[in-house]
């Protein structure tokens, strides 16, 4: 078969692009595809070199969108571009903005979208891999309609490659006004965090319902600090309002792949396990010996987090 | 203030799911209202209460043999529901579902359409945005708070780093996250009232939709069992749990051995 033609929606992050965007570019390179990057924002000047170094041959530069949610604008623009040089697939990071773009693109192109992708497999068709039932099974799917396949890929599904000294040819594009009204961003708020970011941390310590109350989350934070890691949370305690969403690990939160993951009072719902099962070493502390988390843990302690965590914190303090 | 909430009946999440011979999620057992949808219903009811007038109605797609889940949303305070149920829609992807829901909703011309960010069974998470584009409405997604101020929806939109305050003129589609509000419990009066509220069941033909535009356009080619991870060590804490965790972390070299 001839080389695949893959477009990657690269989400801006300051003057850089997000890690997931780099993962998608790297995978497109691994598939020996002709790669085009699409990005936007106030800092696209350096992105020809940057996306080029990650393997893009072409860079479609939409420029600054002017304080609106990018979803419908980026989708309308990509929809107008792909009708000219039809790619086999458009890869999109599974982020909040990425998911908006994918939904709009699907409606504008009248093409279905494959979401929650955790892998790609090349065959007669490009197949997408999806994790089922918390990782016990994997489904492989494909689009039957006309190209392109719209594919939304979860973070950390692919390793990032090695950047090369190459530049993509820049194509300046005037953003297309979509047929839906725009959503204005009135203000942006960044939640302050001490220590490493959740999705980059080498150690993640997460808490769940088993902590009993919001105040006990302090144990999780303290342990995370002592191990040089980031505190995380199950969806249950985020929904309960104990900690902000930015702490959530799982299907609907962050995907993490640290060297060490410590699950404290987390039973191990499918929703949670999908977001952390790629961790190298998993330690679990839970009162219930039958908690599903123990099926995934390398080292499990059946016990009360209110006994084990304070002792662990004291012991680690004594070492430092 | 006319508010439409998209709701979904899903297999009980407490029961381990399985796939049928066509790799589709079995939907044979008991179905319940997706917990994620109770937040949308609550937000809708509060918007109508804040406006001092209006009503909340529900739309859904799926098997209508058992509508207990829909009735539980009616018991919270929605006044009626429309369920599109048709064998033609078996295996429908999110875009097809969005087309069907759009056909129902466009007859109502609501001020605001509310949906969960994603369902708790499929987790596709694109339907509300597809729906918004088909209805040619702005999509305010991942909202953790929603208010209407002078014909404009003002929402806090969750981002990876924190949140944005976003604004869009009505009518609009809004997706709400779980935990946005505490969903109310149905009162006895509400449960009794829900029994007499109308649940319209429609087919594709009733909506005047062309069956060709609803054809299945994606398929699962194969399903493979992922190799099981071998079970790790596990022991019951006897007061030495913390020390044993430290010993384990030293063994795998996450901590340097023997203290300092």
């Amino acid at each position: 078969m001839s080389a695949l033609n893959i477009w990657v929606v690269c989400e801006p992050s300051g003057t850089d692009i997000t890690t997931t965007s780099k993962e998608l570019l790297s995978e497109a390179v691994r598939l020996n595809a002709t790669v085009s990057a699409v990005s936007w924002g106030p800092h696209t000047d350096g992105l020809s070199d940057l996306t080029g170094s990650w393997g893009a041959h072409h860079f479609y530069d939409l420029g600054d969108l002017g304080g609106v949610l990018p979803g419908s604008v980026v989708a309308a623009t990509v929809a107008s571009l792909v009708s000219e040089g039809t790619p086999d697939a458009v890869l999109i990071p599974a982020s909040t903005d990425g998911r908006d773009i994918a939904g709009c693109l699907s409606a504008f192109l009248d093409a279905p979208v494959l979401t929650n992708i955790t892998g790609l497999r090349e065959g007669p068709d490009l197949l997408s891999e999806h994790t089922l039932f918390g990782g016990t099974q994997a489904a492989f799917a494909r689009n039957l309609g006309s190209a392109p396949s719209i594919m939304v890929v979860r973070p950390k599904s692919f390793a990032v490659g090695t950047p090369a000294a190459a530049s993509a040819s820049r194509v300046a594009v005037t953003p297309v006004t979509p047929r839906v009204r725009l959503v204005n961003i009135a203000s942006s708020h960044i939640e302050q965090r001490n220590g490493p970011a959740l999705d980059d941390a080498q150690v993640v310590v997460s808490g769940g319902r088993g902590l009993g109350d919001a105040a006990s989350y302090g144990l999780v934070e303290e342990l995370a600090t002592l191990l040089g890691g980031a505190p995380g949370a199950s969806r249950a305690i985020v929904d309960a309002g104990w900690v902000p969403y930015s702490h959530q690990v799982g299907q609907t939160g962050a995907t993490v792949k640290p060297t060490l993951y410590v699950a404290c009072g987390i039973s191990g719902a499918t929703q949670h396990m999908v977001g952390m099962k790629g961790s190298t070493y998993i330690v679990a502390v839970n009162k219930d010996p039958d908690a599903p988390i123990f099926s995934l843990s390398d080292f499990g302690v059946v016990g009360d987090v209110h006994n084990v965590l304070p002792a662990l914190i004291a012991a680690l303090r004594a070492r430092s | 203030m006319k508010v439409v909430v998209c709701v979904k009946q899903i297999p009980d999440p407490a029961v381990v799911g399985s796939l049928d011979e066509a790799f589709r999620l079995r939907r044979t057992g008991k179905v319940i209202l997706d917990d994620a949808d109770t937040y949308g219903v609550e937000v809708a009811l509060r918007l109508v209460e804040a406006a001092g007038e209006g009503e909340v109605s529900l739309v859904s797609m799926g098997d209508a043999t058992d509508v207990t889940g829909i009735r539980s949303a009616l018991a919270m305070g929605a006044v009626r529901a429309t369920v599109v149920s048709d064998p033609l829609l078996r295996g429908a992807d999110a875009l097809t579902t969005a087309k069907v829901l759009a056909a129902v909703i466009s007859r109502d011309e609501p001020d605001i359409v509310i949906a969960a960010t994603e369902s708790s069974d499929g987790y596709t998470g694109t339907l509300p945005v597809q729906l918004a584009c088909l209805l040619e409405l702005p999509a305010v997604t991942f909202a953790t708070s929603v208010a209407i101020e002078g014909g404009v929806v003002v929402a806090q939109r969750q981002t990876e780093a924190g949140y944005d305050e976003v604004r869009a003129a009505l009518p609009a589609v809004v997706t709400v996250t779980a935990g946005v509000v505490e969903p109310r419990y149905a009162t006895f009066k509400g449960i009794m009232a829900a029994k007499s509220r109308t649940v319209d069941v429609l087919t594709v033909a009733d909506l005047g939709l062309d069956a060709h535009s609803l054809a299945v356009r994606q398929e699962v080619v194969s399903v493979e069992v992922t190799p099981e991870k071998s079970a790790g060590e596990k022991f019951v804490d006897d007061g030495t749990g913390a020390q044993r965790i430290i010993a384990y972390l030293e063994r795998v070299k996450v901590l340097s051995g023997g203290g300092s």
Side-chain angles (χ1 to χ4, degrees):
Chain A
M1 84 189 254
S2 62
L4 288 165
N5 179 2
I6 293 180
W7 287 27
V8 178
V9 170
C10 294
E11 243 189 298
S13 170
T15 56
D16 202 352
I17 56 174
T18 62
T19 305
T20 312
S21 307
K22 292 174 188 170
E23 290 163 4
L24 299 189
L25 288 172
S26 303
E27 178 65 10
V29 169
R30 245 171 257 131
L31 291 166
N32 289 316
T34 303
V35 185
S36 296
V38 178
S39 196
W40 64 93
H43 309 292
T44 53
D45 289 353
L47 293 189
S48 294
D49 289 342
L50 187 82
T51 58
S53 74
W54 292 101
H57 302 92
H58 308 285
F59 165 51
Y60 292 98
D61 184 353
L62 275 59
D64 192 4
L65 304 181
V68 298
L69 287 187
S72 60
V73 185
V74 173
T77 312
V78 171
S80 75
L81 291 170
V82 299
S83 59
E84 291 160 28
T86 306
D88 298 285
V90 179
L91 304 184
I92 305 174
S95 60
T96 48
D97 286 341
R99 285 168 49 175
D100 279 5
I101 293 167
C104 292
L105 187 59
S106 162
F108 294 156
L109 291 176
D110 190 25
V113 51
L114 292 160
T115 62
N116 283 316
I117 294 171
T118 54
L120 294 171
R121 190 182 277 185
E122 210 183 351
D125 294 296
L126 186 62
L127 299 182
S128 57
E129 181 178 350
H130 306 259
T131 302
L132 299 180
F133 308 130
T136 54
Q137 295 177 38
F140 293 86
R142 62 172 176 168
N143 275 331
L144 302 170
S146 51
S149 287
I150 304 169
M151 298 181 147
V152 183
V153 185
R154 290 187 64 82
K156 300 193 169 57
S157 296
F158 306 114
V160 289
T162 312
S167 187
S169 64
R170 177 174 171 272
V171 184
V173 181
T174 307
V176 172
T177 306
R179 57 179 191 242
V180 296
R181 279 172 290 117
L182 302 174
V183 180
N184 290 301
I185 302 172
S187 57
S188 289
H189 304 262
I190 310 288
E191 258 149 31
Q192 291 302 321
R193 248 181 188 281
N194 299 319
L198 184 57
D199 54 359
D200 286 336
Q202 284 309 300
V203 175
V204 173
V205 182
S206 284
R209 277 270 186 214
L211 291 170
D213 54 43
S216 298
Y217 190 75
L219 295 170
V220 169
E221 291 177 309
E222 195 165 0
L223 183 56
T225 304
L226 284 164
L227 291 169
S234 71
R235 174 170 166 178
I237 71 167
V238 172
D239 286 358
W242 295 2
V243 290
Y245 168 78
S246 56
H247 288 57
Q248 187 173 321
V249 172
Q251 177 92 42
T252 47
T255 303
V256 301
K257 270 190 181 176
T259 308
L260 172 66
Y261 190 87
V262 186
C264 309
I266 291 176
S267 63
T270 297
Q271 138 82 245
H272 186 75
M273 308 240 263
V274 168
M276 44 65 78
K277 66 185 174 63
S279 309
T280 315
Y281 303 110
I282 298 170
V283 172
V285 182
N286 200 295
K287 266 197 283 201
D288 175 8
D290 298 321
I293 191 78
F294 289 126
S295 70
L296 205 62
S297 66
D298 300 285
F299 196 77
V301 177
V302 181
D304 189 337
V305 288
H306 293 101
N307 299 330
V308 178
L309 295 193
L312 191 52
I313 288 166
L316 287 169
R317 274 212 198 113
R319 290 165 61 96
S320 59
Chain B
M1 175 74 49
K2 274 167 85 171
V3 188
V4 171
V5 186
C6 302
V7 297
K8 185 179 188 184
Q9 298 193 125
I10 63 167
D12 188 343
V15 178
V16 177
S18 64
L19 302 177
D20 66 13
E21 65 291 338
F23 304 130
R24 293 190 291 235
L25 186 63
R26 276 203 179 88
R27 298 181 182 277
T28 43
K30 184 181 140 211
V31 291
I32 60 166
L33 178 69
D34 187 343
D35 197 42
D37 293 333
T38 59
Y39 300 98
V41 174
E42 180 63 40
V43 166
L45 292 168
R46 290 191 191 186
L47 290 177
V48 166
E49 284 159 10
E53 53 82 31
E55 61 175 34
V56 176
S57 61
L58 310 171
V59 296
S60 189
M61 187 184 106
D63 186 1
T65 319
D66 177 359
V67 292
T68 333
I70 305 283
R71 294 244 179 247
S72 65
L74 291 170
M76 288 175 71
V79 293
R80 75 197 130 78
T82 306
V83 183
V84 183
S85 185
D86 197 314
L88 272 177
L89 296 170
R90 206 143 149 59
D93 61 50
L95 182 59
T96 297
T97 310
K99 287 176 182 175
V100 168
L101 297 182
V104 179
I105 293 168
S106 58
R107 311 203 296 188
D108 256 4
E109 297 195 349
D111 299 296
I112 184 160
V113 179
I114 295 179
T117 51
E118 59 207 336
S119 64
S120 308
D121 57 346
Y123 283 115
T124 310
T126 53
L127 180 138
V129 176
Q130 291 164 320
L131 177 65
C133 290
L134 294 170
L135 292 168
E136 303 198 353
L137 298 179
V140 174
T141 49
F142 302 97
T144 56
S145 81
V146 186
I148 309 291
E149 293 172 11
V152 174
V153 54
V154 181
Q156 285 189 2
R157 178 179 184 263
Q158 176 179 284
T159 63
E160 279 76 15
Y163 69 92
D164 288 347
E165 187 186 299
V166 298
R167 294 165 172 267
L170 294 177
V173 174
V174 176
T175 76
V176 297
T177 57
V180 56
V181 283
E182 190 61 42
R184 68 193 64 187
Y185 287 104
T187 59
F188 178 71
K189 199 176 145 205
I191 294 167
M192 294 313 287
K195 288 183 199 278
S196 60
R197 286 186 177 145
T198 312
V199 178
D200 277 325
V201 178
L202 303 180
T203 63
V204 165
D206 291 335
L207 289 167
L209 285 170
D210 173 13
H212 289 291
S213 74
L214 307 176
V216 173
R217 289 183 296 172
Q218 53 187 209
E219 67 171 2
V220 174
V221 179
S222 65
V223 172
E224 298 172 9
V225 174
T226 312
E228 271 203 44
K229 191 175 163 172
S230 56
E233 299 169 59
K234 184 170 92 173
F235 74 96
V236 177
D237 181 35
D238 56 2
T240 61
Q243 286 309 326
R244 289 174 72 164
I245 290 174
I246 286 179
Y248 172 75
L249 297 182
E250 286 174 349
R251 194 151 31 104
V252 299
K253 301 194 165 43
V254 171
L255 286 178
S256 54
S260 51

